[in-house]
Amino acid sequence: MDFRLVRRLGHFLAVAEEGHFGRAAARLGISQPPLTAQIQALERELGVRLLERTGKGARPTREGEALLPLARRVAGDAADLESLARELRSGRSAPVSVACVTSALFDYLPPLVRAMQAARPEAAISVREMDTADAMEALRRGEADLALLRADREVAPIRLRPLGEDRLVVALPVGHAMLSGPDPLPLAMLADEPMLVLPRAISPAYSDAMTAACRAAGFAPVAVREVGSAMAQLGFVAAGLGVALVSEGMARLNPPGVGFRMLAGPLRGVGVALAWSAERESEAVRLALALAGRLFPPLS
């Protein structure tokens, strides 16, 4: 990393956000002439003019506007790097990043994170909510150390440790006739209902399980709309736009406007698994696996 370039991008960002060289210099804790010199050096290095002075201050040029998103990302990465270095210098362990699907936020995430915090109080733990496909990519890229996701097969280098089984339930808008129908509900009764589904790319295992269950019941789901997340499924159901087959874990969120029914069978869904990359099996990963073994006994 060229730290001079990073510093100059930070100076450019300050001027662009403040709209004034003087205010930007005060924000950075330097005088205005060195700031101007840094901006000029950056413009020479990049070969484009980034800022233009106005009667009231300064504003980015067209080229400067195009550079702003990258400058913000670089500044954010640099801040994260400095924060991590401070923690390591102070003797703290490297922070642990956990990705988690929505349907695992209440059943699986809290006990695991609490146990990790108790075992390693010196280590910071960050959690990001994301779908299974994004969590897999975050593990591959090293942006997450661990993930709680829904997958039923390993794809190298990602390893899985299943934490529990799951069942599919149907989410229905409040007032729907099937909420007072047979209990449990035969899946075949949903044959003509408009379905709210997730794109297969978001969670292939869930999509395949839902499609297979419907076909086994004698019909192909009528997908009225693809939505971008499990929470969006519930929101659209509450709005009366369709019904959805979801993980039993989503029912425990108890969202307003949505009722849930168990399905006859019961229909197996795709359980939550603890995932990690075999290429980065860190101390934190080994700790999480040991804790998971106690918190969530192996499936028989």
Side-chain angles (χ1 to χ4, degrees):
M1 180 182 290
D2 186 333
F3 289 102
R4 287 179 301 176
L5 178 60
V6 171
R7 185 170 61 253
R8 287 168 182 166
L9 283 171
H11 291 165
F12 159 66
L13 183 61
V15 177
E17 291 179 344
E18 295 292 340
H20 193 278
F21 274 85
R23 289 196 297 271
R27 167 175 152 181
L28 295 168
I30 60 176
S31 62
Q32 189 169 329
L35 174 61
T36 301
Q38 289 293 321
I39 298 297
Q40 291 171 343
L42 178 62
E43 290 177 328
R44 287 195 301 271
E45 190 170 356
L46 299 179
V48 293
R49 187 163 173 240
L50 300 175
L51 292 163
E52 59 184 2
R53 292 183 180 273
T54 66
K56 296 182 178 180
R59 66 185 177 195
T61 62
R62 180 171 58 87
E63 294 81 3
E65 288 284 356
L67 187 65
L68 273 176
L70 178 60
R72 290 192 176 99
R73 288 199 298 273
V74 170
D77 289 344
D80 290 344
L81 178 62
E82 291 177 0
S83 176
L84 175 58
R86 282 196 301 270
E87 289 194 353
L88 294 176
R89 285 196 302 270
S90 67
R92 297 194 70 184
S93 299
V96 180
S97 175
V98 181
C100 184
V101 295
T102 305
S103 54
L105 286 174
F106 292 93
D107 290 348
Y108 295 97
L109 180 70
L112 181 62
V113 169
R114 287 182 182 277
M116 291 183 68
Q117 288 175 326
R120 294 181 60 190
E122 78 284 357
I125 299 176
S126 65
V127 178
R128 289 180 293 165
E129 182 184 2
M130 58 180 68
D131 61 52
T132 291
D134 287 344
M136 287 279 199
E137 283 304 307
L139 290 173
R140 290 190 182 97
R141 293 193 298 262
E143 296 171 359
D145 302 295
L146 299 159
L148 292 169
L149 46 73
R150 292 188 180 274
D152 54 5
R153 60 178 61 92
E154 296 182 342
V155 179
I158 306 304
R159 302 290 311 279
L160 300 175
R161 196 282 191 188
L163 301 183
E165 295 182 343
D166 190 50
R167 293 181 292 181
L168 290 175
V169 299
V170 60
L172 300 159
V174 167
H176 196 288
M178 288 188 195
L179 286 174
S180 57
D183 188 19
L185 195 72
L187 181 59
M189 291 186 67
L190 301 178
D192 297 324
E193 292 288 331
M195 289 274 192
L196 297 160
V197 301
L198 299 177
R200 188 178 183 280
I202 286 181
S203 182
Y206 156 79
S207 180
D208 292 347
M210 184 204 71
T211 301
C214 291
R215 287 178 175 166
F219 70 98
V222 181
V224 64
R225 184 173 301 184
E226 285 191 344
V227 296
S229 69
M231 286 303 293
Q233 276 183 303
L234 299 183
F236 281 43
V237 168
L241 298 177
V243 305
L245 292 179
V246 300
S247 156
E248 188 177 14
M250 295 301 292
R252 285 187 275 276
L253 298 180
N254 195 28
V258 182
F260 297 89
R261 293 298 306 276
M262 299 302 299
L263 293 164
L267 299 178
R268 287 194 62 185
V270 180
V272 172
L274 179 62
W276 71 99
S277 172
E279 295 175 350
R280 284 179 287 274
E281 195 165 305
S282 64
E283 177 190 348
V285 169
R286 291 189 289 272
L287 173 63
L289 287 169
L291 294 170
R294 297 201 296 268
L295 295 167
F296 315 106
L299 303 175
S300 57

